[in-house]
Amino acid sequence: MLRNYFDYYFTVIFCCVTLFGTNVVHAEQIVVFSARIEQLIKPVFDVFTKDTGILVKFVTDKEGALLARLKTEGKNTLADMLITSDAGNLWEAAREGLLKEVQSETLEKNIPDYLRDPQRQWFGFSVRARTIVYNTQKVKSSDLSTYEDLADPKWRGRLCLRTSKKIYNQSLVAMMIAEHGEVKTEQIIKGWVHNLAIDPLSDDTKAMEFVAAGKCDVTLVNTYYYGRLIEKNSALPLAIFWPNQTSTGVHVNISGAGIIKNTRNERAAIKLLEFLSSKKAQHLFADLNMEYPANPEIKPDPIVSAWGNFKHNQMNVAITGELQTTAVKLMDRAGYR
Ligand code: FE
C-alpha cells in the first residue's frame, strides 16, 4: 500500500510522455485513500481506467489511520478521494472538514437520498444490511420479528453479539436512538445484554459460528459475512431473517466515498464517483463483496438475491455519524462491551 503512494509521487514527477520531442502530456490520475480492501476496489478501478484513461493509485488502511493521515497532511495531501465501509466514518471526515461538496445530477439520480450526505459531501455505493441470522434447528422464523424483540426474556441465554466496539453495532444503535429515543433504546440494549449466551465476540463470522455450533440461537450480522460463511460450508444450520418488516425496515449502512477538500484533480475524481454509481461499476462494487447495489436500478448478484427481498430502513445513514457518540455512551451504560 505504501508502495502505491510512493509510486504516485514518482509518477507525478516523472509521468510525462514526450511526443515528437516537443509536446509534453501528463497522464491524468487520481489517488484514493480506501478503507475498503484492495480485492474489493482494484477490479472497479481497472475498468474505470480502461474506460476513461484516468489512472487510479490507491492506499488501503483502516479508517482511523486514513482520517488521521488526511488531517496531518492537510493542504499537502495527494489524496483526491476517500472510500470507507461505514457512513459514520464518512460523516466524521465531513465534520472534520476533509471533504468537498459535489454537485452532480448523475449522483443524485443514481443514489437514493437516504444513502448519501444531505450536504453532498459523500455518497453510498453499496448497501450493507445488518440483520438477524438464526440456527434453523433451534429457532423457527415465526419466532423472530424485530431487533427490539431480541431484548425479550424469551431469548434469555440465546443471543450472541459482536462487540460494541465495532462501528457496525454503534451505527445500528444510533439508528435505534433516532427512532425510539435514548430511554427506550437503553432498555432494549440492556435486554440484549441480559439475553447474551456468552460475552460479545470479536467479529460477525465468529458470532455465526457460535450460532451454528448451538452455543446460542440468534445473532446480528452484515449479510455478506453470512454469504462468505455459507459459501465455505453450505451445510451449516443458519438462515437469514429480515426484521422490522412491518415497521421501520432492516438497518442498512453503506460503503461510500467523498472527494477530498484539497484535491487537485476534482474533475477526474467526480468522474470516478459518477462511474461508481453506474450500472457497470455498481455490479462490480457490490457483487465482489456480496453487498447490495446502492443504485436501485441495479439488481443484486443472484446469490444475494436468493436471500429474498426486504424493506430497508430509509432513515438517512448520516444519523449513524450524528448519534455515534451518544450510541457508544449508551451501550457502555447498558453494559454492552
Ligand atoms: Fe465488514
Side-chain angles (χ1 to χ4, degrees), residues 33-50:
F33 278 12
S34 175
R36 218 166 143 89
I37 57 172
E38 175 165 353
Q39 296 95 290
L40 301 183
I41 51 169
K42 189 172 180 300
V44 190
F45 295 158
D46 288 346
V47 177
F48 175 72
T49 299
K50 201 164 153 245

Side-chain angles (χ1 to χ4, degrees), residues 85 128 130 162 166 168 204 222 224-225 228 289 291:
S85 51
R128 352 186 80 204
R130 194 153 187 82
R162 183 179 189 160
K166 182 69 185 178
Y168 300 158
D204 286 13
N222 286 359
Y224 54 88
Y225 291 111
R228 286 181 208 164
N289 195 32
E291 290 173 73

Side-chain angles (χ1 to χ4, degrees), residues 38-313:
E38 175 165 353
Q39 296 95 290
L40 301 183
I41 51 169
K42 189 172 180 300
V44 190
F45 295 158
D46 288 346
V47 177
F48 175 72
T49 299
K50 201 164 153 245
D51 284 6
T52 62
I54 299 168
L55 302 171
V56 182
K57 297 281 179 182
F58 58 88
V59 176
T60 60
D61 208 335
K62 295 254 189 285
E63 270 108 349
L66 294 175
L67 288 182
R69 184 163 168 183
L70 285 169
K71 273 194 262 180
T72 309
E73 292 180 351
K75 285 203 167 83
N76 297 320
T77 190
L78 292 175
D80 299 300
M81 184 182 288
L82 173 69
I83 296 181
T84 81
S85 51
D86 185 286
N89 292 304
L90 285 166
W91 181 90
E92 178 63 14
R95 193 183 65 90
E96 294 280 357
L98 298 170
L99 302 179
K100 191 180 184 98
E101 182 180 335
V102 175
Q103 300 278 358
S104 160
E105 278 177 26
T106 305
L107 289 169
E108 287 184 23
K109 179 169 77 67
N110 290 346
I111 307 299
D113 285 10
Y114 69 104
L115 302 176
R116 54 182 158 87
D117 176 25
Q119 269 77 50
R120 302 185 175 86
Q121 294 195 37
W122 47 263
F123 301 83
F125 294 110
S126 63
V127 170
R128 352 186 80 204
R130 194 153 187 82
T131 196
I132 295 176
V133 163
Y134 64 98
N135 183 316
T136 52
Q137 290 163 354
K138 298 173 78 185
V139 177
K140 290 196 290 284
S141 67
S142 57
D143 297 337
L144 293 157
S145 58
T146 63
Y147 299 105
E148 292 80 357
D149 176 66
L150 296 179
D152 189 279
K154 76 178 181 206
W155 297 107
R156 186 69 36 96
R158 301 172 70 190
L159 179 65
C160 274
L161 287 176
R162 183 179 189 160
T163 166
S164 65
K165 306 290 174 285
K166 182 69 185 178
I167 195 165
Y168 300 158
N169 288 328
Q170 296 166 6
S171 294
L172 170 62
V173 173
M175 290 280 212
M176 291 169 78
I177 294 169
E179 277 156 17
H180 303 303
E182 281 195 59
V183 173
K184 186 170 171 199
T185 305
E186 191 170 331
Q187 281 169 0
I188 296 164
I189 305 306
K190 276 184 178 154
W192 287 2
V193 172
H194 268 120
N195 289 342
L196 285 176
I198 46 171
D199 285 344
L201 296 152
S202 59
D203 62 61
D204 286 13
T205 306
K206 271 211 182 85
M208 281 183 292
E209 284 167 353
F210 274 90
V211 173
K215 300 267 194 306
C216 41
D217 297 352
V218 281
T219 188
L220 292 170
V221 297
N222 286 359
T223 54
Y224 54 88
Y225 291 111
Y226 170 83
R228 286 181 208 164
L229 190 62
I230 290 296
E231 199 171 49
K232 271 195 241 151
N233 184 358
S234 61
L236 290 175
L238 296 174
I240 280 178
F241 178 83
W242 301 117
N244 298 55
Q245 293 302 282
T246 57
S247 55
T248 46
V250 168
H251 168 64
V252 295
N253 207 319
I254 53 154
S255 193
I259 293 182
I260 304 301
K261 190 171 215 154
N262 296 307
T263 177
R264 292 159 215 186
N265 301 294
E266 185 174 359
R267 196 195 70 92
I270 292 178
K271 257 195 175 169
L272 177 54
L273 278 189
E274 290 178 340
F275 173 78
L276 289 174
S277 75
S278 71
K279 184 171 186 179
K280 198 190 267 182
Q282 279 285 287
H283 272 305
L284 273 172
F285 198 81
D287 296 357
L288 282 165
N289 195 32
M290 289 191 256
E291 290 173 73
Y292 294 87
N295 182 336
E297 301 291 310
I298 316 302
K299 289 216 165 20
D301 180 86
I303 293 175
V304 174
S305 293
W307 303 336
N309 291 324
F310 62 96
K311 176 177 155 187
H312 294 194
N313 186 330

